[in-house]
Amino acid sequence: MENPGTVWTCPFDFAEGLEFDPLLRQLMTEAPIARIRMSYGQGEAWLVTRYEDVRTVTTDRRFSRAAVAGRDFPRMTPAPIVQDESINLLDPPQSSRLRRLVSQAFTAPRVARMKPATQRIVDELLDGMAEHGPPADLVEHLSTRLPLTTICEVLDIPAADRTELRARAMAMMNTGAATRESAVRAKAELRAYFADLTRRRREHPGDDLISVLATARDGDEVLGADELTVMAMVLLMTGHDTSTYQLSNLTYTLLTHPEQLAKLRARPEQLPQAMEELLRYIPFRKGVGIPRIATEDVEVGGVTIRKDDTVHVSYLAANRDATRFPDPDRLDLDRPPSPHMTFGWGAHHCIGAPLALMELQLAIGTLLSRFPRLALAVPAAEVRWNDESIWRYPYELPVTW
């Protein structure tokens, strides 16, 4: 089958609760490998939505992330979020070196050592929510505070700097055209901050994660100055963004699926398996992320993708592929384990996933045990959802117990 002629306009701006994007669902059904135009960037791109096809694109070295650098590629945000030196824009074997170095900070023993401190933060935040009394906003008391506090303590970022750093990170994620200048400025300010911080940690290392990265070695290899700067910046952004929004999304999803919540309460030891199903089910962001460029003609799913074509994949769609997950639109905490793509796939699978999982499991497990009668304090239809960012999450999540 040759390249289809239809080009779909894809703003990917759907923001109604955590319902699945109807445009994405239509593409999955009618054009699983589609030509698309997006709100920003030049030209068109391919969008791949089937699980097996996504796996092909993310593991086949004929699709290059590095080739994206310097291109005005089709995207969702006015200015590109990713930086050219980021590990997210490297291909194997170059990215393999960086991943070997960075993965030293996320080994199972190191994540296990972070667990007591994370539990302490969770307990303190939930103590504050209990003292406040019901109803309370979970976003204010837990979701926005736990991930930021945790990653900043892991990185040893001074408390006085944290609120401003979070504001800059959020500014980079906005999708409105009017936010371009503020996004570019925020990106430059974050980079300058972390360039100075990583230089000082290189000179005077401590026990924090940046110091671990600064002193990590793979033979004679170490992270360069720019690599370390961008990696620390990426850790701050990804280390609190996804967890912040997913804490609220996970809680909302459980509270609006009472039968599934009852299963989890009856068998709390099943939380790790339940977490994987929740992460598969929840459309945690909008649209797509960083694309790849075809370095030669490649056939994927019967469609010929030409050399130099831009290719996006949708992990959200892959997570709802019925050929991989039977009855994919149903949340089933008893679903047999099967790898989902919420943390990406292949050479760009999220290195920090073990830390994120530990944090989310601790927070949700403690929340449910501390508040056995936890419930939404307002009708689900009254919860207000973000419509300004690439992320999907509630602005507030009033709960009672």
Side-chain angles (χ1 to χ4, degrees), residues 106 343 349-358:
F106 296 102
F343 290 114
H349 184 271
C350 177
I351 297 176
L355 176 60
L357 275 171
M358 179 272 285

Side-chain angles (χ1 to χ4, degrees), residues 152-224:
C152 285
E153 290 203 1
V154 167
L155 299 176
D156 194 19
I157 291 175
D161 298 345
R162 297 175 185 180
T163 301
E164 185 60 32
L165 291 178
R166 171 171 166 73
R168 290 171 181 164
M170 291 179 69
M172 291 176 59
M173 305 296 176
N174 288 337
T175 57
T179 65
R180 180 184 177 91
E181 287 188 13
S182 62
V184 171
R185 183 170 59 252
K187 186 176 180 179
E189 290 170 347
L190 277 175
R191 180 161 185 145
Y193 177 91
F194 280 104
D196 178 63
L197 183 65
T198 53
R199 176 188 56 78
R200 288 187 278 119
R201 296 291 166 81
R202 181 96 76 180
E203 293 172 355
H204 305 287
D207 296 327
D208 60 280
L209 188 53
I210 293 175
S211 296
V212 171
L213 293 173
T215 56
R217 290 186 172 275
D218 182 27
D220 293 331
E221 293 281 355
V222 296
L223 291 173

Side-chain angles (χ1 to χ4, degrees), residues 90-298:
L90 294 177
D91 299 323
Q94 290 81 7
S95 63
S96 304
R97 163 189 164 270
L98 219 56
R99 289 182 71 88
R100 284 195 301 270
L101 288 165
V102 174
S103 64
Q104 296 175 35
F106 296 102
T107 61
R110 181 168 288 276
V111 171
R113 289 199 296 273
M114 298 178 193
K115 193 171 181 178
T118 305
Q119 183 69 67
R120 173 182 54 79
I121 297 167
V122 170
D123 290 340
E124 289 175 356
L125 292 174
L126 293 183
D127 285 346
M129 190 169 89
E131 184 177 344
H132 176 281
D137 178 12
L138 191 82
V139 173
E140 176 188 350
H141 286 278
L142 182 67
S143 301
T144 59
R145 297 173 67 184
L146 172 63
L148 183 64
T149 302
T150 300
I151 195 63
C152 285
E153 290 203 1
V154 167
L155 299 176
D156 194 19
I157 291 175
D161 298 345
R162 297 175 185 180
T163 301
E164 185 60 32
L165 291 178
R166 171 171 166 73
R168 290 171 181 164
M170 291 179 69
M172 291 176 59
M173 305 296 176
N174 288 337
T175 57
T179 65
R180 180 184 177 91
E181 287 188 13
S182 62
V184 171
R185 183 170 59 252
K187 186 176 180 179
E189 290 170 347
L190 277 175
R191 180 161 185 145
Y193 177 91
F194 280 104
D196 178 63
L197 183 65
T198 53
R199 176 188 56 78
R200 288 187 278 119
R201 296 291 166 81
R202 181 96 76 180
E203 293 172 355
H204 305 287
D207 296 327
D208 60 280
L209 188 53
I210 293 175
S211 296
V212 171
L213 293 173
T215 56
R217 290 186 172 275
D218 182 27
D220 293 331
E221 293 281 355
V222 296
L223 291 173
D226 286 342
E227 291 174 331
L228 183 59
T229 294
V230 173
M231 181 53 64
M233 184 174 165
V234 168
L235 285 172
L236 172 78
M237 295 174 64
T238 60
H240 87 271
D241 262 345
T242 307
S243 296
T244 293
Y245 308 137
Q246 286 290 57
L247 271 176
S248 298
N249 292 341
L250 288 162
T251 305
Y252 174 87
T253 300
L254 285 169
L255 295 182
T256 52
H257 290 78
E259 291 183 4
Q260 298 300 312
L261 176 57
K263 287 182 183 179
L264 185 55
R265 287 197 179 282
R267 292 179 293 164
E269 71 278 3
Q270 294 292 99
L271 180 59
Q273 178 182 334
M275 186 65 66
E276 297 297 336
E277 168 66 356
L278 285 159
L279 291 172
R280 177 203 71 83
Y281 176 81
I282 295 170
F284 66 103
R285 60 163 295 155
K286 300 174 188 172
V288 296
I290 306 167
R292 292 161 176 81
I293 306 298
T295 59
E296 59 182 83
D297 290 0
V298 187

